């Protein structure tokens, strides 16, 4: 009790204790991470100690924690009401406005004054990840199958486009369905052995599958050119008309077709709209299939597989369709990636990519389409925006992720819109007055 | 005739054997959970399976609904439209799909994150899949799927009305109180249009009023839909009140089968429930000795 008198009120004593504990943890972490540094010395590597830096770090943690405790005492946190109907309704209204607004903004973006080559490039990157996130959302968010190897299908799509375009001279539009079909086939191929697995076990196997595809790409040199990758992948053309600064006299190019001056940004804008359309198709597909038997079966499977079986839903087919359709969209995105980059190598399809796509889905709020867009902007666009921070970029990135998870542990927009409402159904049925709806 | 009644089975007053269980045995390694059980369940009748805890009742259900493959035995379902079907040969999910055997679970298994109405629509999955050409028609926005869905919603609404959940149709199933979750599970099973409904302790955790509502619901289902109901239950007011037939299991063996009146008077059943007085047939002095030594043995 003397401590209480020494430091003042009891909550402050508790706070100091808490801060001391945190400082101790920080000290344990900081000694090897900050305190020791390897340096080049004449005889080899030497160790340099930086104890003042350790002291500063520990002091920062102590003071920071103490300030947090004081702040919490002055402004006590409001009780969590994450899933009350009021909040859900507010989010729903927000999303209903945000969705169309985002699409309108995306359509107009290339014509806005600040949209230079750099902004468009970043936007294309973000949209690629939005599409991948929406694709993975089918597998993870709807069907509840934790897939850590999603990048494998992205790679299959990219390599199918690269190989078909380079070897057979097929156009992008001919390759797109091929790439989608091949990726879907690989999705089924992965699906079969993991049918009985769920949760962690499924994650491990899919992780392994993702690595397998990458290792095969590295080692199957005769087909994939190994780690050197495939270069000279045909760039996209405007439905058969190339983007060519100096076309042959009798051939047409994009700028001559429309009678405008050539500019290299025309191709970038075309790529931008291409990925925008592909991503919106993915979104449309997901929104539609959620209201169809297959989509409802996916969600039911996520909720309870045993109950699904007791209702005569074939779990094998349901899981395989989820894997195949999710993989198909990754295949489309992969083809786009290959045609945009013009060069692909196995290095582009590491586990980190799978992790980022999964992070987008989880941060966005599982199953939330708009949440995925926001998460992709934050996770992919964010590091670009803070590029000036240079080596502190990844630190800021990590801090942001921690903040999101503290603020909204279930994802940015974690709520689920029922696929059908009795009230809405009655209204539309009355409006249509279909005979089937009037059965007693 | 009530809406959505099965086409066959109406007007047939003589209850026929819908389900015939012959020599059903289920072994898990050395443990015999169900040992040579044989009984029949009539069409348009309620058959209760009762017995003390661990008697193998749920194991019988799991064999019937395809969650276990029986070690020995034949399970014949005389489907009114498809003829005799051998359940022990069918793959798990085909039993509800083809044979029309629906079930509920001892600890309710709803799709908690989905709405009440969605739970009932998912139960009509197979019908909707056919109507929509495996969802393709729906994807293309054809009217055929819209009509099928409207019909599915109407069936769902019928069962929501029957179990008194219409006002809760757009709630998340997980947010319902326990008693309503139990009723929703029965409604979901009925939406799959079964010919045999298997209920695993439907009255567990219900208060007396809810439990008498349940009795009325089950009698209604039997008389209007004319399907067979198989029931595991501990609540004797439910079992004795509504069963047409009772099968008693104890330690995996079938010890009695018959009408409620017969079963209630059966000494083997009384022994199983109240415990056997092992010493009652012995001469009094031997029993006294046994009682004295029994504590130390």
């Amino acid at each position: 009790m003397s401590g209480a008198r020494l430091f003042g009120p009891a909550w402050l004593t508790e706070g100091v204790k808490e801060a001391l504990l945190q400082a101790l943890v920080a000290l344990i972490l900081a000694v090897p991470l900050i305190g020791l540094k390897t340096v080049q010395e004449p005889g080899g590597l030497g160790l340099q100690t930086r104890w003042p830096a350790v002291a500063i770090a520990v002091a920062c943690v102590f003071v920071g924690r103490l300030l947090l405790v004081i702040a919490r005492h002055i402004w006590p946190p409001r009780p969590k009401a994450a899933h009350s109907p009021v909040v859900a309704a507010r989010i729903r209204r927000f999303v209903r406005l945000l969705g169309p607004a985002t699409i309108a903004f995306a359509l107009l973006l290339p014509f806005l004054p600040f949209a230079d080559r750099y902004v468009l490039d970043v936007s294309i990157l973000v949209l690629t990840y939005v599409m991948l996130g929406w694709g993975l959302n089918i597998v993870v968010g709807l069907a509840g199958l934790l897939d850590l190897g999603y990048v494998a299908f992205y790679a299959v799509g990219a390599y199918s486009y690269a190989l078909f375009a380079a070897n057979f001279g097929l156009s992008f539009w001919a390759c797109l369905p091929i790439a989608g079909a091949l990726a879907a086939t690989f999705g089924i191929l992965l699906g079969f052995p993991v049918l009985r697995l769920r949760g962690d076990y499924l994650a491990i196997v899919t992780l392994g599958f993702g690595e397998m595809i990458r290792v095969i790409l590295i080692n199957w040199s005769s087909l994939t050119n190994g780690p050197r990758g495939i270069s000279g992948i045909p760039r996209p053309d405007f439905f058969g008309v190339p983007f060519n600064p100096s076309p042959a006299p009798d051939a047409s190019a994009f700028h001559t077709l429309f009678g405008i001056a050539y500019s290299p940004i025309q191709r970038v804008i075309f790529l931008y709209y291409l990925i925008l359309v592909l991503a919106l198709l993915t979104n449309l597909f997901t929104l539609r299939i959620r209201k169809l038997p297959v989509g409802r079966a996916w969600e039911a499977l996520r909720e309870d597989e045993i109950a699904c079986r007791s209702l005569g839903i074939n779990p094998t087919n349901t899981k395989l369709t989820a894997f195949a359709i999710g993989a198909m969209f990754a295949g489309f995105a992969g083809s786009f990636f290959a045609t945009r980059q013009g060069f692909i190598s196995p290095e582009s399809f590491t586990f980190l990519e799978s992790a980022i796509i999964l992070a987008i889905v989880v941060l966005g709020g599982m199953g939330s389409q708009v949440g995925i867009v926001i998460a992709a902007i934050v996770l992919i666009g964010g590091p670009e925006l803070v590029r000036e921070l240079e080596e502190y970029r990844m630190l800021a990135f990590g801090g942001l992720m921690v903040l999101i998870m503290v603020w909204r542990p279930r994802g940015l927009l974690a709520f689920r819109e029922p696929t059908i409402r009795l009230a809405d159904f009655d209204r539309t049925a009355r409006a249509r007055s279909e005979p089937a709806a009037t059965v007693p | 005739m009530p809406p959505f009644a099965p086409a066959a089975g109406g007007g047939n007053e003589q209850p026929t054997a819908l389900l015939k269980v012959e020599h059903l045995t289920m072994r898990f390694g050395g443990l015999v959970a169900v040992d040579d059980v044989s009984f029949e369940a009539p069409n348009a009748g309620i058959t209760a399976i009762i017995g003390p805890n661990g008697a193998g009742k749920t194991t019988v259900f799991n064999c019937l609904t395809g969650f276990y493959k029986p070690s020995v035995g034949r399970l014949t379902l005389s489907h009114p439209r498809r003829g005799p079907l051998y359940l022990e040969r069918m793959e798990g999910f085909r039993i509800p799909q083809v044979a029309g055997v629906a079930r509920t679970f001892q600890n309710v298994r709803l799709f908690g994150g989905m709405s009440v109405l969605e739970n009932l629509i998912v139960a009509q999955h197979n019908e909707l899949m056919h109507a929509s050409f495996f969802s393709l028609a729906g994807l293309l926005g054809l009217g055929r799927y819209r009509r099928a869905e409207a019909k599915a919603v109407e069936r769902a609404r019928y069962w929501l009305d029957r179990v008194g959940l219409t006002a809760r149709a757009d709630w998340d199933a997980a947010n319902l109180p326990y008693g309503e979750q139990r009723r929703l599970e029965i409604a979901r099973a009925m939406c799959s249009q079964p010919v045999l409904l298997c209920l695993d302790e439907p009255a567990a955790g219900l208060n007396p009023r809810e439990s008498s509502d349940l009795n009325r619901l089950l009698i209604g289902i039997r008389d209007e839909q004319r399907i067979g109901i198989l029931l595991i239950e501990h609540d004797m007011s439910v079992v004795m009140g509504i069963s047409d037939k009772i099968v008693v299991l104890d330690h995996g063996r079938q010890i009695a089968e018959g009408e409620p009146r017969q079963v209630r008077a059966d000494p083997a059943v009384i022994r199983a429930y109240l415990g056997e007085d092992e010493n009652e047939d012995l001469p009094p002095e031997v029993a006294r000795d046994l009682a004295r030594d029994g504590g130390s043995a």
Side-chain angles (χ1 to χ4, degrees):
Chain A
M1 283 302 105
S2 64
R5 235 169 277 126
L6 220 121
F7 291 114
W11 64 266
L12 195 59
T13 321
E14 281 302 306
V16 171
K17 262 191 215 158
E18 204 181 311
L20 277 174
L21 194 69
Q22 303 277 338
L24 182 69
V25 174
L27 181 70
I28 294 168
L29 285 174
V31 165
L33 289 178
I34 302 174
L36 302 176
K37 188 187 180 190
T38 51
V39 286
Q40 284 284 347
E41 274 178 7
L45 276 180
L47 270 184
Q48 195 184 32
T49 56
R50 299 188 294 181
W51 303 129
V54 174
I56 291 171
V58 172
C60 281
V61 168
F62 179 76
V63 173
R65 188 74 207 183
L66 205 58
L67 286 178
L68 193 67
V69 168
I70 294 170
R72 279 230 182 109
H73 184 73
I74 300 172
W75 303 287
R78 277 173 298 161
K80 289 249 179 224
H83 282 81
S84 78
V86 183
V87 175
R90 207 180 299 155
I91 293 178
R92 199 170 296 139
R93 259 202 311 279
F94 175 65
V95 166
R96 250 182 224 151
L97 288 175
L98 195 65
T102 315
I103 292 174
F105 175 76
L107 282 172
L108 292 176
L109 179 72
F111 304 107
L112 296 178
F114 61 86
D116 55 7
R117 171 84 199 246
Y118 172 70
V119 168
L120 282 179
D121 271 338
V122 173
S123 307
I124 290 172
L125 195 65
V126 169
L127 278 174
T128 314
Y129 280 92
V130 168
M131 179 169 178
L132 287 169
W134 278 340
L136 183 62
N137 187 34
I138 293 174
V139 186
V140 178
L142 292 185
L145 304 163
L146 184 53
D147 185 351
L148 284 182
Y150 194 60
V151 79
F153 310 122
Y154 189 41
V156 168
Y159 270 86
S160 352
Y161 172 65
L163 293 173
F164 276 102
N167 295 337
F168 302 109
L170 294 180
S171 77
F172 177 76
W173 299 105
C175 284
L176 199 62
I178 299 176
L182 271 173
T185 312
F186 272 81
I188 293 172
L189 220 62
L190 164 68
F192 263 114
V194 301
L195 279 173
R196 287 160 188 279
L197 305 180
R198 279 191 80 80
D200 314 352
Y201 304 101
L202 178 66
I204 293 167
V205 177
T206 51
L207 173 72
F209 184 78
E211 287 302 290
M212 263 163 58
I213 294 282
R214 194 174 60 87
V215 170
I216 289 172
L217 289 177
I218 290 176
N219 290 296
W220 194 355
S221 297
S222 57
L223 182 74
T224 65
N225 204 20
R228 289 184 303 282
I230 300 176
S231 55
I233 299 168
R235 308 309 299 254
D237 45 30
F238 185 79
F239 304 100
V241 183
F243 294 93
N244 191 348
S246 47
D250 52 341
S252 66
F254 179 76
H255 63 285
T256 57
L257 190 70
F258 286 89
I260 47 175
Y262 174 80
S263 159
I265 205 164
Q266 285 160 357
R267 188 212 302 273
V268 181
I269 292 177
F270 174 70
L271 280 172
Y272 174 84
Y273 279 119
L274 182 59
I275 186 66
L276 184 63
V277 167
L278 286 175
L280 286 179
L281 272 179
T282 315
N283 184 32
L284 190 70
F285 180 88
T286 310
L287 291 181
R288 260 228 124 107
I289 201 137
R290 267 194 73 210
K291 298 178 194 259
L292 293 176
V294 172
R296 292 203 180 109
W298 287 340
E299 291 201 79
L301 194 74
R302 176 193 67 203
E303 297 293 326
D304 195 323
E305 185 172 342
I306 288 177
C308 272
R309 279 176 55 190
S310 83
L311 293 172
I313 295 174
N314 183 343
T316 309
N317 289 357
T318 310
K319 282 186 190 178
L320 288 183
T321 47
F323 270 122
I325 289 174
M328 180 180 77
F329 286 113
F332 292 154
S335 309
F336 174 81
F337 176 77
T339 189
R340 177 175 104 98
Q341 299 291 100
F343 166 76
I344 52 170
S345 78
E347 284 312 297
S348 308
F349 308 105
T350 56
F351 168 66
L352 188 67
E353 295 296 313
S354 289
I356 288 179
I357 303 165
L358 188 65
I360 288 172
V361 175
V362 173
L363 277 184
M366 300 267 260
S368 163
Q369 298 290 97
V370 177
I372 285 171
V373 177
I374 300 173
I377 292 172
V378 169
L379 285 194
I380 307 300
E384 295 295 328
L385 288 181
V386 294
R387 201 171 263 286
E388 297 82 52
L389 294 176
E390 293 174 356
E391 70 258 43
Y392 298 106
R393 201 155 69 104
M394 289 320 273
L395 189 69
F397 176 73
L400 191 66
M401 272 181 85
V402 171
L403 275 183
I404 292 177
M405 282 290 110
V406 168
W407 177 50
R408 293 198 77 87
R410 295 178 50 124
L412 288 169
L413 291 176
F415 83 100
R416 181 181 172 279
E417 182 88 22
T419 58
I420 186 167
R421 285 169 181 281
L422 198 58
D424 297 349
F425 179 82
D426 286 347
R427 213 173 305 130
T428 51
R430 259 201 306 280
R432 264 197 210 114
S433 68
E434 282 190 8
T438 55
V439 173
Chain B
M1 180 156 160
F4 312 122
N12 183 2
E13 285 311 313
Q14 183 62 44
T16 51
L18 174 67
L19 175 76
K20 205 161 146 194
V21 175
E22 292 164 282
H23 306 294
L24 175 65
T25 302
M26 183 75 214
R27 293 189 205 97
F28 298 101
L31 178 82
V32 185
V34 176
D35 188 6
D36 196 20
V37 168
S38 304
F39 64 91
E40 287 183 2
N43 200 0
I46 298 177
T47 309
I49 303 180
I50 64 170
N53 286 327
K57 306 181 295 286
T58 299
T59 309
V60 170
F61 259 41
N62 283 341
C63 291
L64 282 173
T65 49
F67 286 90
Y68 296 153
K69 277 261 168 288
S71 312
V72 180
R74 161 154 293 177
L75 311 167
T76 317
L77 184 98
S78 308
H79 194 285
R81 291 183 294 282
R82 300 198 173 96
L85 298 167
Y86 301 111
L87 302 184
E88 80 279 4
R89 296 184 193 170
M90 295 170 86
E91 210 185 325
F93 73 92
R94 305 273 299 166
I95 291 178
Q97 190 184 49
V98 176
V101 178
R103 74 170 289 179
T104 66
F105 294 87
Q106 200 170 343
N107 27 17
V108 184
R109 283 184 173 275
L110 291 170
F111 304 122
M114 302 172 82
S115 78
V116 169
L117 180 61
E118 283 174 311
N119 269 273
L120 301 185
I121 304 275
V122 168
Q124 305 174 52
H125 175 79
N126 289 310
E127 201 176 325
L128 287 172
M129 280 292 263
H130 285 294
S132 65
F133 301 116
F134 305 97
S135 294
L136 274 176
L139 209 56
L140 302 173
L142 300 187
R144 184 186 155 104
Y145 172 67
R146 227 177 24 237
R147 282 191 295 277
E149 194 185 42
K151 204 170 141 213
V153 172
E154 287 315 311
R155 181 173 291 123
R157 191 204 303 274
Y158 173 76
W159 285 106
L160 282 174
D161 285 341
R162 285 301 297 270
V163 301
L165 286 175
T166 313
R168 301 270 168 101
D170 297 329
W171 282 40
D172 273 4
N175 294 343
L176 293 182
Y178 187 73
E180 296 188 350
Q181 292 198 2
R182 283 230 171 260
R183 297 213 296 275
L184 175 59
E185 208 187 14
I186 295 174
R188 186 179 68 180
M190 285 312 296
C191 273
S192 69
Q193 296 170 277
V195 297
L196 176 66
L197 175 65
C198 302
L199 304 170
D200 198 343
E201 299 199 19
L206 300 189
N207 63 35
R209 200 179 59 83
E210 288 175 321
S211 152
S212 71
D213 285 349
L214 175 76
N215 283 2
R216 267 199 300 281
L217 175 68
L218 295 185
I219 290 172
I221 289 175
R222 175 192 65 187
D223 294 343
E224 292 160 21
Q225 309 290 320
R226 307 205 57 80
I227 62 170
I229 297 178
L230 209 56
L231 182 75
I232 293 180
E233 192 48 72
H234 282 298
D235 186 335
M236 283 302 147
S237 73
V238 174
V239 172
M240 294 300 168
I242 65 173
S243 304
D244 300 307
K245 183 175 182 180
I246 295 178
V247 177
V248 190
L249 302 185
D250 185 28
H251 292 99
R253 271 192 294 276
Q254 184 175 342
I255 56 172
E257 179 185 0
E259 286 174 30
R261 206 165 20 85
Q262 286 170 285
V263 166
R264 201 174 349 203
D266 194 317
V269 177
I270 295 168
R271 256 204 310 281
Y273 268 89
L274 299 179
E276 192 167 8
D277 189 354
E278 287 169 352
N279 303 340
E280 86 189 329
D281 300 334
L282 298 172
E285 62 276 11
V286 180
R288 221 178 19 248
D289 288 355
L290 272 175
R292 203 176 50 238
D293 301 343
S296 57

